[in-house]
Amino acid sequence: MSTLIQDHSNVHVRVGDASLPVYALTESGLDMDIKDAPLLRGFVLVFDGEQLLSEAYIDAVDEARGFLRYVCGRDTART
């Protein structure tokens, strides 16, 4: 199951100084448009605007239909 992010959403991943838009959040990770997404691996922070949603560790990347699906081995959601 995935949660599609609306076009006007500010959900993004921060890696170092880079801020990258997220297309969808899934139970196992997140999806990003292949043209916007580098091959990420390791620790990332997921934000909605300035609010931290989760800390995640990306274990694997899969490519499908123009998107990169990042699978998170550890995802700590913030409440």
Side-chain angles (χ1 to χ4, degrees):
M1 181 172 106
S2 67
T3 302
L4 182 63
I5 306 298
Q6 299 298 322
D7 288 337
H8 61 277
S9 174
N10 289 322
V11 175
H12 61 279
V13 170
R14 289 187 192 165
V15 181
D17 293 334
S19 179
L20 308 164
V22 173
Y23 177 76
L25 297 174
T26 67
E27 289 181 11
S28 62
L30 52 96
D31 293 349
M32 297 173 71
D33 191 310
I34 199 164
K35 70 179 190 291
D36 296 326
L39 291 177
L40 297 175
R41 201 165 175 111
F43 184 72
V44 297
L45 300 173
V46 182
F47 285 85
D48 185 359
E50 292 301 314
Q51 179 182 358
L52 179 62
L53 296 179
S54 68
E55 299 173 348
Y57 188 86
I58 296 175
D59 282 337
V61 180
D62 208 11
E63 184 180 339
R65 299 181 311 263
F67 294 94
L68 289 180
R69 173 158 289 165
Y70 296 95
V71 179
C72 298
R74 181 183 134 244
D75 187 358
T76 307
R78 300 292 180 165
T79 56

